[in-house]
Amino acid sequence: APAAGGGGGGGGDLLDLLGGGGGDLAPAAAAPAGGADLGLLDIFGGGGAAPAAAPVAQDAPPMVAYEKNGLKITFFPRKEADGSSTIVAKFCNSLDAPMTNFVFEAAVPKFVRLTMQQATGQILPPHTDAVTQTFNCVNTSNGEKGLLMKLRIGYMVNGAPVQEMGQVGNFPSGYQ
């Protein structure tokens, strides 16, 4: 039986442990083209191609995009594998009264393509963050210019209309 952690051999040692005996899979365990020994990094073969796998989506930490008069808007950015950004905005009403006729709009520079879905509701109940809105951004400047959004927020509270403006430009690195 092979020693635990015994490491010199190629990928055949692992196959022997599993009862595979190497067989047809042995060529996949050959040394990578660059001549470097990748050890466990090359456990499934493929050599240097493994790190160049398809990009995966990455979540960034939440960020407060707006906070005023009992309304807090938190963005949950996600960098998609295709380079676009998906942002989920969560709207939190900390007041004792509901915010009705709620509308959230965003404008971006010409080098950004923005697609917004409808919000999950037009009423923000008191002391909740149940309403969200998802949008997708594609920055066509190839990272040369940062992502920037101007916000327009409208709602009614206690029968009084509220119109607010804001701007968000502090997106995490990689959202440029």
Side-chain angles (χ1 to χ4, degrees):
D13 293 343
L14 180 63
L15 293 173
D16 288 339
L17 285 175
L18 298 174
D24 297 331
L25 298 178
D37 181 12
L38 296 178
L40 287 177
L41 294 176
D42 193 31
I43 195 166
F44 297 111
V56 295
Q58 297 178 347
D59 291 327
M63 55 186 279
V64 176
Y66 177 89
E67 188 168 15
K68 187 175 177 182
N69 296 329
L71 175 63
K72 180 178 179 180
I73 302 173
T74 305
F75 283 177
F76 295 84
R78 179 178 177 88
K79 193 73 170 176
E80 301 296 343
D82 65 3
S84 68
S85 301
T86 299
I87 300 169
V88 176
K90 186 175 272 195
F91 309 109
C92 180
N93 175 5
S94 64
L95 300 178
D96 292 328
M99 296 177 178
T100 60
N101 300 337
F102 181 79
V103 177
F104 173 80
E105 299 171 304
V108 293
K110 291 181 182 184
F111 60 86
V112 177
R113 191 170 61 241
L114 175 67
T115 306
M116 296 184 74
Q117 297 177 7
Q118 289 190 349
T120 57
Q122 291 183 320
I123 299 172
L124 306 183
H127 304 287
T128 64
D129 63 356
V131 177
T132 62
Q133 188 166 4
T134 302
F135 42 100
N136 185 274
C137 301
V138 177
N139 187 337
T140 61
S141 75
N142 294 324
E144 294 177 17
K145 300 177 184 176
L147 182 56
L148 178 67
M149 289 186 177
K150 292 193 177 190
L151 311 177
R152 185 165 65 180
I153 304 138
Y155 56 92
M156 301 273 292
V157 66
N158 293 324
V162 178
Q163 288 287 324
E164 294 288 345
M165 302 289 280
Q167 184 168 308
V168 182
N170 58 334
F171 286 90
S173 174
Y175 289 79
Q176 316 304 2

